[in-house]
């Protein structure tokens, strides 16, 4: 660790330490009594862990100095004056009947649509639940501090105040919900804690979409002059027996965003979890998806696309933990990197000793569309059982010159041909989204980014 | 009335690939409506010629000129040549997973239509047109909806090339060893497609190692390429002579020009 980094890291820690001390009373008034010691323990844990450095294996390729240096001096105001029209402008037409809108980490009821829900479904803000019915989330939030291994997750818990609380009860109907997170301030921290529970036999499609709308921030004259802001989101997902969830995450924040998010899933017997993750925006992002297959028959599919250009840095971390026999998992992450961007894929599939008859497949393929782009990929299998079927692999390649020439020889110009080839490479990831409207949204977002990345490569 | 401008005029063409000179001063004139066959042993430069004409970036032109209906062909990007009516049927068509054959062909046709100032065809109009053209090469419509060439047999790939030619209706078609690897039925189908498209406005250059294709598509001229130059030219009968005597005959009996 360099002296400068060390200095900014301790600055980061003391900054949050001071802020925590200052806000403890405010937290206490808005939270149940049992949460106060949880916060304090989490804050202490954050102090112990410190910000990760490149010496920590999971952070080997991602510069934490930028996180440490960021001036998180302002707590963002939550209300930004956005209208429903603004929400449509930022996110497109609604893809679900139910949507929850969060501005700078806080729920905005006036922009949300939570009325059309059946009785079996609760869709609310965590802040409201903490105020009105905190028992519902006590178990989810009473995390033992020593089990927190990730410093940003510890920080998240210490400052927990809002996020989405979704509880989908048993019903034969599929439930579709959108969580829309918008940052309108180019400073500060949006600390989000989402809790998602899918009851036994229930079935849901949930989209989490992160975007920025800095034009609404009067203090930013020019988006290029904006300072960094941090989104720190932790989502926990519980899937009951035979429950099913498609979780679509689209991160398309502005270049000045530092986006750190984790999704932690626990799957019960015969549950099916499919993650569709799209990491497109933010100057620096790190998206973690971790699933524990805790009971027999559980099935997990992690699909991901990271598509970046310019000087973006995108880091993907996944852990699939086969803790029970007769479970299956498939993982497919694809990366497209242009400009001077950097990508990281670090995927672990762990098969525990008694997880016999596990079937696990893991793959990561990457396409470098610029000579200056770079990717580090590390798919890992850790197998302690002896009767399992596991495979993994990764590739890094460039656009196929022969394919490019073939398309051009038929009259497609270089840009169209390049876009067509990259589009073909990435299409597999989006095709797996079951919900047509959501898929259309994602495909539009991906296509727009693809056009930007391609046009900066071809003069 | 003087001679009209040739469709293709190649003068003293020199080209290298991987730092090795392969074409060493090649001359060839093709007029509208003519079918030329270029034959030659392996390594004589046949495919390099096809690559130069279609603009493959890995081949470097080091000398000479190529004019296509009077304009400098070598100045044009591959896609500009294509929309201006130059077509190469590939010896090894590329498989592109994830790009639908039909989407690709519609994009190609609409690029050419745009160049000609015509309105693009929509999906339905394109399909109607493509169906008519598919009959020419006895093409299974299922292949139109698959990924481009992915998992196609050798014969299906070559028929897909000829289908693209039938759809794009080029002024100058270059067939690079389209006959190689085809069984006799596929060869007949491909030849039938080429013959149907034969017209006074269109010219074809058939590059081939074997005389077999020329039984089905009778050329107006046959040229023999050896060591980067055309060493002899003649009518269709030259192909038969070559078939009988083999390329060795060239080195012993035909004087260098």
């Amino acid at each position: 660790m360099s002296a400068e980094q060390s200095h900014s890291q301790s600055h980061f820690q003391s900054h949050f330490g001071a802020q925590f001390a200052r806000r403890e009373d405010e937290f206490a008034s808005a939270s149940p009594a049992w949460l106060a010691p949880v916060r304090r323990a989490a804050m202490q844990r954050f102090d112990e862990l410190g910000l990760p450095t490149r010496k920590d294996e999971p952070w080997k390729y991602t510069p934490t100095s930028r996180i440490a240096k960021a001036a998180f001096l302002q707590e963002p105001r939550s209300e930004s004056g956005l209208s429903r029209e603004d929400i449509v402008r930022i996110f497109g037409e609604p893809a679900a009947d139910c949507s929850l809108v969060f501005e700078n980490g806080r729920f905005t009821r006036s922009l949300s649509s939570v009325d059309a829900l059946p009785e079996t479904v609760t869709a609310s803000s965590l802040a409201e639940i903490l105020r009105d019915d905190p028992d519902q989330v006590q178990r989810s939030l009473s995390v033992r501090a020593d089990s927190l291994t990730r410093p940003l997750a510890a920080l998240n818990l210490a400052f927990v105040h809002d996020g989405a609380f979704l509880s989908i009860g048993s019903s034969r109907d599929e439930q579709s919900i959108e969580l829309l997170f918008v940052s309108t301030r180019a400073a500060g921290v949006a600390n989000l804690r989402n809790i998602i529970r899918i009851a036994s036999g229930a079935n849901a499609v949930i989209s989490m979409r992160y975007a920025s709308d800095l034009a609404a921030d009067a203090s930013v004259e020019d988006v290029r002059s904006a300072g960094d802001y941090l989104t720190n989101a932790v989502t926990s997902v519980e899937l009951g027996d035979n429950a099913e969830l498609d979780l679509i995450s689209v991160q398309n924040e502005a270049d000045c965003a530092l986006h750190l998010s984790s999704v932690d899933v626990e799957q019960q017997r015969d549950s099916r979890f499919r993650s569709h993750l799209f990491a497109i925006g933010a100057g620096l992002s790190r998206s973690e998806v971790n699933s524990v297959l805790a009971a027999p028959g559980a099935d997990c599919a992690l699909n991901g696309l990271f598509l970046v250009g310019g000087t973006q840095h995108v880091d993907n971390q996944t852990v699939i933990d086969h803790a029970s026999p007769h479970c299956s998992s498939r993982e497919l992450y694809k990366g497209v990197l242009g400009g001077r961007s950097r990508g990281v894929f670090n995927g672990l599939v762990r098969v525990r000793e008694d997880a016999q008859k596990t079937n696990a497949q893991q793959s990561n393929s990457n396409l470098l569309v610029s000579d200056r782009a770079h990717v580090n990929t590390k798919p890992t299998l850790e197998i302690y059982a002896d009767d399992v079927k596991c495979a993994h692999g990764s590739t890094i390649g460039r656009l196929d010159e022969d394919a490019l020439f073939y398309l051009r020889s038929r009259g497609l110009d270089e840009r169209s041909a390049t876009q067509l080839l990259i589009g073909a490479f990435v299409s597999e990831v989006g095709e797996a989204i079951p919900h047509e409207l959501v898929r259309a949204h994602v495909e539009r977002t991906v296509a727009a980014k693809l056009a930007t990345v391609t046009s900066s490569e071809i003069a | 009335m003087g001679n009209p401008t040739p469709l293709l005029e190649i003068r003293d063409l020199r080209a290298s690939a991987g730092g090795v000179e392969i074409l060493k001063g090649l001359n060839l004139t093709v007029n509208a409506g003519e079918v030329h066959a270029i034959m030659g042993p392996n390594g004589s430069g046949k495919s390099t010629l096809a690559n130069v004409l279609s603009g493959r970036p890995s081949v470097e032109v080091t000398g000479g000129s190529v004019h296509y209906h009077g304009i400098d062909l070598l100045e044009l990007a591959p896609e500009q040549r294509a929309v201006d009516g130059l077509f190469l049927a590939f010896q090894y068509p590329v498989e592109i997973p994830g790009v639908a054959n039909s989407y690709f062909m519609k994009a190609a046709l609409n690029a050419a239509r745009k160049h000609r100032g015509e309105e693009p065809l929509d999906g339905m109009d394109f399909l109607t047109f493509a169906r008519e053209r598919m009959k020419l090469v006895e093409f299974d419509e299922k292949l139109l909806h698959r990924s481009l060439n992915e998992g196609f047999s050798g014969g299906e790939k070559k028929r897909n090339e000829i289908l693209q030619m039938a759809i794009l209706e080029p002024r100058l078609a270059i067939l690079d060893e389209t006959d190689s690897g085809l069984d006799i039925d596929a060869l007949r189908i491909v030849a039938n497609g080429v013959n149907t498209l034969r017209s006074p406005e269109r010219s074809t250059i058939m590059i081939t190692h074997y005389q077999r294709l020329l039984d089905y598509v009778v050329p107006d001229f046959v040229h023999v390429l050896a060591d980067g130059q055309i060493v002899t030219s003649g009518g269709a009968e030259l192909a038969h002579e070559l078939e009988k005597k083999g390329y060795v005959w060239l080195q012993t009996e035909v004087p260098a020009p």
Side-chain angles (χ1 to χ4, degrees):
Chain A
M1 201 193 312
S2 70
E4 189 193 359
Q5 196 178 351
S6 157
H7 173 74
S8 55
Q9 291 207 356
S10 64
H11 173 71
F12 182 85
Q13 275 171 275
S14 63
H15 163 68
F16 280 109
Q19 200 178 77
F20 184 78
R22 197 169 65 239
R23 295 185 59 190
E24 226 182 338
D25 288 347
E26 174 202 328
F27 286 146
S29 66
S31 312
W34 53 259
L35 193 51
V38 174
R39 287 186 195 282
R40 270 196 299 276
M43 196 62 214
Q44 198 181 350
R45 183 67 178 152
F46 173 68
D47 275 339
E48 284 163 25
L49 292 168
L51 256 196
T53 72
R54 288 189 170 202
K55 284 182 186 158
D56 301 308
E57 181 64 25
W59 287 88
K60 192 170 173 185
Y61 299 109
T62 293
T64 55
S65 52
R66 185 159 169 196
I67 303 170
K69 271 185 209 158
F72 307 119
L73 296 175
Q74 300 157 273
E75 263 300 288
R77 276 175 315 174
S78 57
E79 298 285 325
S80 55
L82 290 181
S83 65
R84 282 191 179 245
E85 289 70 32
D86 291 322
I87 297 301
V88 171
R89 171 174 57 79
I90 298 162
F91 291 103
E93 292 294 335
D97 291 337
C98 170
S99 66
L100 280 74
V101 175
F102 295 82
E103 294 173 88
N104 305 314
R106 287 178 196 267
F107 179 61
T108 307
R109 180 167 285 278
S110 61
L111 298 178
S112 303
S113 305
V114 287
D115 302 330
L117 289 168
E119 277 179 17
T120 50
V121 176
T122 305
S124 182
S125 91
L126 181 61
E128 289 177 5
I129 293 287
L130 284 172
R131 190 188 61 209
D132 303 334
D133 192 7
D135 292 355
Q136 283 222 54
V137 293
Q138 181 168 8
R139 185 172 46 83
S140 295
L141 293 180
S142 297
V143 182
R144 274 177 42 213
D146 59 4
S147 73
L148 291 167
T149 52
R150 289 169 287 155
L152 273 303
L155 188 67
N156 181 281
L157 184 60
F159 283 82
V160 61
H161 60 93
D162 209 350
F165 175 77
L166 303 179
S167 174
I168 316 292
S170 293
S171 162
R172 287 168 63 195
D173 301 324
E174 176 188 281
Q175 203 59 52
S176 179
I177 296 175
E178 282 188 307
L179 306 179
L180 306 177
F181 305 102
V182 57
S183 291
T184 62
R185 302 277 293 174
V189 184
N191 196 65
L192 285 157
R193 186 102 189 171
N194 304 309
I195 297 171
I196 298 174
R197 292 183 190 148
I198 314 293
S200 195
N203 175 6
V205 177
I206 296 172
S207 307
M208 301 198 294
R209 296 165 62 197
Y210 298 90
S212 314
D213 188 42
L214 303 178
D217 184 346
S219 74
V220 180
E221 286 170 24
D222 179 340
V223 174
R224 281 165 299 181
S225 73
D228 289 343
Y229 75 87
L230 172 67
T231 297
N232 184 17
V234 173
T235 301
S236 66
V237 177
E238 295 168 22
L239 283 178
D241 290 356
N242 202 33
E244 183 166 6
L245 172 65
D246 281 276
L247 184 66
I248 298 100
S249 314
V250 183
Q251 182 277 105
N252 194 17
E253 298 201 59
D255 274 353
C256 65
L258 310 174
H259 176 98
L260 305 173
S261 68
S262 67
V263 173
D264 300 289
V265 187
E266 186 165 312
Q267 294 189 242
Q268 297 307 324
R269 183 179 278 268
D270 300 322
S271 61
R272 296 170 298 285
F273 172 65
R274 289 178 293 268
S275 163
H276 314 265
L277 182 135
F278 298 83
I280 286 169
L284 185 153
S285 73
R286 181 177 163 101
S287 308
E288 303 184 19
V289 182
N290 308 306
S291 188
V292 180
L293 303 168
D299 178 85
C300 164
L302 305 186
N303 295 312
L305 171 67
F306 46 105
L307 169 57
V308 292
T311 58
Q312 286 182 277
H313 182 104
V314 59
D315 183 341
N316 305 275
Q317 304 276 326
T318 66
V319 178
I320 299 172
D321 188 350
H322 282 267
S324 276
H326 295 284
C327 292
S328 49
S329 67
R330 293 165 309 290
E331 177 167 27
L332 172 70
Y333 267 63
K334 289 195 166 186
V336 176
L337 299 110
R340 285 184 289 137
S341 65
R342 293 284 178 273
V344 179
F345 173 80
N346 193 4
L348 170 65
V349 175
R350 182 185 297 125
V351 182
R352 292 182 189 260
E353 205 174 336
D354 49 0
Q356 301 294 6
K357 306 290 181 187
T358 287
N359 188 337
Q361 287 163 33
Q362 182 189 41
S363 110
N364 166 234
S365 30
N366 303 286
L367 186 60
L368 301 178
V369 294
S370 144
D371 291 338
R372 295 161 301 162
H374 199 91
V375 66
N376 290 95
T377 170
K378 189 180 167 203
T380 310
L381 291 175
E382 245 177 45
I383 302 173
Y384 303 102
D386 53 16
D387 184 13
V388 300
K389 216 163 99 184
C390 298
H392 72 154
S394 70
T395 61
I396 301 173
R398 293 182 185 281
L399 274 181
D400 181 349
E401 290 295 330
D402 288 335
L404 198 57
F405 177 64
Y406 189 70
L407 296 177
R408 293 179 71 192
S409 80
R410 294 295 180 259
L412 278 70
D413 62 46
E414 194 177 357
R415 183 176 302 187
S416 308
T418 303
Q419 271 185 37
L420 190 60
L421 288 178
I422 304 175
F425 175 76
V426 306
S427 64
E428 197 180 353
V429 183
E431 279 164 8
I433 299 174
H435 194 293
E436 201 178 320
L437 282 175
V438 178
R439 186 170 62 241
H441 265 303
V442 169
E443 283 173 351
R444 269 199 300 279
T445 307
V446 168
K449 177 70 175 191
L450 199 57
T452 318
V453 170
T454 313
S455 59
S456 64
E457 297 307 325
I458 296 163
Chain B
M1 202 175 85
N3 285 336
T5 309
L7 184 63
L8 184 73
E9 190 163 32
I10 304 175
R11 289 280 164 266
D12 196 29
L13 181 65
R14 291 169 184 275
S16 306
V20 179
E21 187 172 60
I22 295 172
L23 298 183
K24 301 171 180 176
L26 185 143
N27 294 288
L28 178 69
T29 301
V30 176
N31 292 303
E34 294 174 352
V35 174
H36 290 240
I38 296 180
M39 303 184 69
N42 289 330
S44 58
K46 300 192 300 291
S47 284
T48 301
L49 175 61
N51 286 332
V52 167
L53 294 178
S54 57
R56 191 185 277 273
S58 58
V59 179
E60 191 196 353
V61 175
T62 53
S65 66
V66 180
H67 284 88
Y68 174 60
H69 63 86
I71 61 171
D72 184 353
L73 185 71
L74 302 177
E75 285 295 305
L76 301 181
E79 57 269 30
Q80 293 171 312
R81 302 178 195 200
V83 295
D84 199 15
L86 187 143
F87 179 89
L88 170 67
F90 280 59
Q91 182 179 5
Y92 302 111
V94 184
E95 296 192 14
I96 309 185
V99 174
N101 203 9
S102 56
Y103 180 90
F104 160 69
M105 285 197 209
K106 181 159 75 78
L109 177 60
N110 282 335
R113 291 179 66 90
K114 187 179 171 190
H115 178 76
R116 296 194 294 258
E118 297 166 7
E119 289 294 309
L121 289 189
D122 66 19
M124 280 313 293
D125 288 345
F126 171 74
L127 203 58
T128 307
F129 177 62
R131 281 195 178 120
E132 178 215 314
R133 295 283 139 156
M134 279 188 282
K135 285 184 202 145
L136 276 182
V137 287
E138 301 175 29
F139 197 82
D140 185 344
E141 187 167 332
K142 273 188 297 205
L143 298 178
L144 194 65
H145 302 296
R146 294 234 309 253
S147 279
L148 181 49
N149 290 325
E150 191 186 24
F152 286 23
S153 71
E156 286 169 343
K157 283 180 185 169
K158 294 297 175 80
R159 268 191 267 176
N160 200 23
E161 294 293 289
I162 301 305
L163 173 60
Q164 290 170 41
M165 183 173 96
I167 283 173
L168 296 173
E169 302 177 302
R171 286 172 81 178
L172 176 61
I174 303 154
L175 311 184
D176 187 8
E177 308 224 9
T178 299
D179 52 333
S180 59
L182 290 188
D183 63 32
I184 199 72
D185 289 331
L187 183 69
R188 185 185 46 78
I189 291 165
V190 164
N192 187 39
V194 175
N195 282 327
T196 311
L197 293 168
R198 223 166 153 164
S199 85
E201 295 83 42
R202 271 200 270 283
S203 307
T204 304
I205 298 174
M206 294 186 294
I207 292 172
T208 180
H209 186 81
Y210 308 103
Q211 174 264 335
R212 203 172 56 147
L213 175 64
L214 310 185
D215 288 341
Y216 295 88
V217 184
V218 180
D220 300 306
F221 301 94
V222 174
H223 310 276
V224 178
L225 187 60
D227 195 25
Q229 292 183 324
I230 287 180
V231 291
T232 187
S233 300
E237 71 289 347
L238 180 58
H240 292 281
E241 205 165 345
L242 269 175
E243 185 74 3
K244 270 196 299 240
K245 298 181 176 172
Y247 288 113
V248 180
W249 160 70
L250 291 173
Q251 284 143 28
T252 52
E253 293 184 29
V254 181

